[in-house]
Amino acid sequence: MTTYKGVGVYAGRVIGPVLQMPEPIGEPAANLKLNPNETGEQAAERIKAAAEAVKADLLDRAEHASRDGKAVLKSTSQMATDRALLKGAIKLVENQGVAPERAIWEAATSFADQMQALGGYMAERVTDIYDVRARIVAELTGQPTPGIPTSDEPFVLAAIDLAPADTATLNPEQVIALITSDGGPQAHTAILARGLGLPAIVAAKGVTEIENGTVVYVDSNEGVVNTEPTDEDREAAEKYANRKPLADFDGEGVLADGTHVPLYANVGDGKSAEKAAGLKAEGVGLLRTEFGFLGYDAEPSVETQAETYKSVFDAFPGKHIVVRTLDAGADKPLPFLNTKEEENPALGVRGFRTDWTVPGVLTRQLEAIKKASEGSDADIWVMAPMISTTSEARNFANMLKEVGLETRGVMVETPAAAVNAEAILGEVDFVSIGTNDLTQYTMAADRLLGDLAHLNNPWQPAVLKMIKLTVEGARRASTATGTKKYVSVCGEAAADPALAVVLVGLGVDTLSMNAGAIAAVSAVLKSVTKEKAQQIAVEALSQISSAEAKAAARDMLPVLDELGL
Ligand code: PEP
Ligand code: MG
């Protein structure tokens, strides 16, 4: 038996055959010329036919995909037969005698480069173009279709990591678990797995070497994959398969003693807000406004911004909404804000700091938020990301005052903000702890690096202590000012049901997460009183490692096993 160990990001125990993500399609040789047996015209026809076949295949996959996947696949299918793309490739074939697969590769690459120059990182269209490029080359050369494999039976998907386009098209009825050799517990694949409620293990070195068809046991509570399931493993998987079904969220987060712990959603735009409202989120605890700016080469006008914000507010009439100002930089650069190359972008000019290098954008964004709020009866709170000092909090609060935005806050994402929470909360009304960044800065571990996934884990006792310090600072600030200062958590930690209990036990007032995770978090919170949550938090905090902190909390939460969480 071979055992692989990684970091479990969504609990579950399943047994099934492994299917590996196919090898990515490689670049055809740079000097690949047209086959002398084929005329330019014939090659051009072949390109068109391959593009049509790819389009038809994507549309067929869209039929069987989840709701979000459908939209992604449909938009990608349009890209396959994009006229400019095909024209570019055909020109290369007919005028320069380039082989069709090389021609598509070059045409798509230059098209993607143009898009990249126009838009921000990960501009959706660029991902689409690369996806389509690989598919057409595979079709032209007879290689297996790239992307998530399909099978007649459910399977465990193994991959290095998943691209955003892959994750959006993943069908949870086919894929019963995800195991990746890279990625971290706060990165993209983990967020997706939690949203889909899919057992997942990331940073499990070696899993990409498992032969296709090998039956494995995946225990994502323990972060373990076994290639020869034992009887005990089979029993555990069967118990998981017969777990109590998770009820839909009923619209109010409550503990067993009736304490209300509002459960909010993290959203990026009107569409995701509508989806969150459909899942009965109690409001929005984090609107990542930079998502609405991706793909813009220049700052959008105040009117355009206001419309985007309004579409989110409209999804939650009368409800609580926390708007976060632009968090550009590091892994989310925007071309009009992040103009210089940086050696260490995570430690660079990002978040609130961009106001120092490109002044004006933040002020106009606040005007747009104010404008959108005027036509809405939602309760709008506004906060800034990446705050390190009390004077930054004061300056931000003054900017909000000037435009007439009433409820002011900042994020706690740096150890500096956590240890200074009391002073910071002398300047603002609330804080929201971004545990994704707070973990990376506390542990000095890049949140995108799979090799550091064990450090980049919000269960790390040092991170839990940072959260405790923040809550204690907020309590003192509340007493000193005679006004309740609120503490929320809007990082991925809030979406982990066991960790959510610890956060509540530490004194966090509200939690905000990917809307798909709310039902599980709510079900577990319902099983504990405030007092019990406090005991669990004390237990977790007294451990010396993330694994022990997690195990200590889980041992005190039998409901996790019942629900298979
Ligand atoms: C965080 O850092 O936890 C957070 C919520 O912000 P983001 O993930 O957008 O950096
Ligand atoms: Mg952050």
Side-chain angles (χ1 to χ4, degrees):
M1 182 199 317
T2 314
T3 299
Y4 304 89
K5 251 195 119 25
V7 180
V9 291
Y10 191 86
R13 296 182 171 106
V14 296
I15 290 180
V18 164
L19 276 189
Q20 296 283 351
M21 258 325 247
E23 286 276 315
I25 299 290
E27 176 176 351
N31 53 1
L32 203 62
K33 290 291 174 204
L34 199 56
N35 183 326
N37 299 331
E38 194 174 36
T39 66
E41 238 169 59
Q42 286 166 333
E45 283 311 312
R46 244 177 5 102
I47 289 179
K48 283 188 214 155
E52 285 298 340
V54 166
K55 181 179 185 175
D57 175 57
L58 286 168
L59 286 174
D60 185 51
R61 285 169 189 254
E63 284 304 306
H64 305 102
S66 62
R67 207 179 66 167
D68 287 354
K70 255 190 199 8
V72 172
L73 285 166
K74 280 193 177 155
S75 108
T76 314
S77 76
Q78 295 308 318
M79 181 60 71
T81 51
D82 182 274
R83 279 183 45 200
L85 171 67
L86 296 187
K87 230 169 116 183
I90 290 170
K91 231 163 109 186
L92 285 171
V93 169
E94 294 187 335
N95 300 351
Q96 295 177 33
V98 176
E101 60 270 36
R102 178 68 202 176
I104 269 290
W105 189 274
E106 282 184 20
T109 308
S110 99
F111 198 17
D113 289 348
Q114 286 167 29
M115 289 291 165
Q116 196 93 49
L118 285 176
Y121 92 118
M122 236 173 67
E124 252 169 60
R125 289 178 69 86
V126 172
T127 321
D128 282 355
I129 298 167
Y130 289 147
D131 187 20
V132 152
R133 178 181 72 181
R135 285 173 191 278
I136 302 180
V137 170
E139 180 70 27
L140 283 166
T141 53
Q143 297 178 71
T145 311
I148 293 181
T150 49
S151 165
D152 293 337
E153 61 173 334
F155 61 92
V156 173
L157 180 64
I160 298 171
D161 202 359
L162 294 178
D166 295 326
T167 51
T169 59
L170 190 148
N171 178 355
E173 276 167 25
Q174 276 241 306
V175 177
I176 54 171
L178 263 179
I179 49 177
T180 66
S181 61
D182 284 22
Q186 332 254 37
H188 175 79
T189 302
I191 295 173
L192 169 98
R194 284 191 201 101
L196 291 174
L198 203 58
I201 300 177
V202 299
K205 288 279 164 261
V207 294
T208 47
E209 282 142 32
I210 303 173
E211 292 269 334
N212 270 343
T214 309
V215 172
V216 295
Y217 171 60
V218 178
D219 181 342
S220 51
N221 301 3
E222 302 292 335
V224 165
V225 181
N226 282 339
T227 53
E228 283 163 41
T230 61
D231 288 346
E232 210 180 303
D233 295 344
R234 290 192 185 279
E235 243 171 64
E238 199 174 310
K239 196 166 155 215
Y240 176 74
N242 295 322
R243 68 194 180 277
K244 223 164 105 185
L246 199 59
D248 288 342
F249 179 52
D250 61 9
E252 199 178 33
V254 278
L255 304 184
D257 56 14
T259 309
H260 182 200
V261 179
L263 300 179
Y264 301 127
N266 293 352
V267 305
D269 55 18
K271 221 167 103 191
S272 53
E274 273 168 34
K275 195 169 152 196
L279 294 169
K280 300 210 182 121
E282 294 182 64
V284 171
L286 170 63
L287 166 57
R288 287 185 165 105
T289 55
E290 64 279 4
F291 282 13
F293 284 67
L294 297 177
Y296 281 88
D297 57 335
E299 175 192 358
S301 68
V302 168
E303 284 67 31
T304 307
Q305 290 186 49
E307 262 172 47
T308 311
Y309 307 144
K310 177 100 186 351
S311 68
V312 174
F313 303 168
D314 286 349
F316 285 96
K319 297 282 178 64
H320 172 86
I321 304 229
V322 182
V323 183
R324 177 175 76 182
T325 56
L326 281 173
D327 186 20
D331 56 332
K332 294 177 282 196
L334 292 176
F336 53 93
L337 279 177
N338 309 101
T339 47
K340 284 195 202 129
E341 282 280 321
E342 294 176 329
E343 287 272 343
N344 293 304
L347 303 179
V349 181
R350 61 167 293 198
F352 180 68
R353 299 170 179 185
T354 57
D355 187 51
W356 307 334
T357 48
V358 191
V361 177
L362 179 56
T363 310
R364 288 186 288 278
Q365 181 181 28
L366 296 180
E367 280 162 18
I369 297 169
K370 175 70 182 163
K371 194 174 157 94
S373 75
E374 278 160 359
S376 154
D377 65 351
D379 179 22
I380 313 289
W381 296 20
V382 184
M383 67 180 181
M386 195 64 184
I387 292 292
S388 317
T389 69
T390 308
S391 55
E392 288 165 23
R394 175 181 298 165
N395 292 344
F396 182 64
N398 284 336
M399 293 173 90
L400 292 174
K401 266 181 218 155
E402 259 166 46
V403 285
L405 287 161
E406 307 267 325
T407 315
R408 306 163 193 130
V410 296
M411 289 192 74
V412 171
E413 294 181 293
T414 62
V419 297
N420 262 333
E422 181 181 357
I424 285 177
L425 277 162
E427 307 293 337
V428 293
D429 307 303
F430 72 98
V431 292
S432 189
I433 307 178
T435 44
N436 308 338
D437 278 316
L438 184 59
T439 306
Q440 89 164 333
Y441 296 128
T442 301
M443 304 309 296
D446 186 331
R447 67 192 256 190
L448 302 175
L449 275 188
D451 287 342
L452 302 181
H454 61 292
L455 289 178
N456 221 312
N457 186 330
W459 283 100
Q460 283 288 352
V463 178
L464 299 179
K465 284 175 192 155
M466 285 291 164
I467 297 168
K468 184 165 183 262
L469 279 179
T470 307
V471 173
E472 288 168 353
R475 282 208 190 111
R476 289 194 299 273
S478 303
T479 311
T481 58
T483 328
K484 165 81 180 153
K485 303 286 184 174
Y486 289 90
V487 180
S488 179
V489 169
C490 62
E492 276 303 296
D496 173 333
L499 193 43
V501 171
V502 173
L503 298 174
V504 169
L506 286 173
V508 165
D509 301 298
T510 65
L511 301 172
S512 189
M513 66 206 79
N514 179 332
I518 295 181
V521 168
S522 158
V524 176
L525 289 182
K526 264 197 184 116
S527 77
V528 292
T529 58
K530 183 84 190 233
E531 202 186 333
K532 179 83 182 173
Q534 284 164 346
Q535 288 164 5
I536 294 173
V538 167
E539 215 30 64
L541 251 82
S542 65
Q543 305 301 319
I544 59 159
S545 70
S546 57
E548 284 156 283
K550 184 174 175 179
R554 292 188 65 92
D555 281 351
M556 294 174 79
L557 290 164
V559 67
L560 292 170
D561 233 20
E562 274 165 43
L563 295 170
L565 292 169

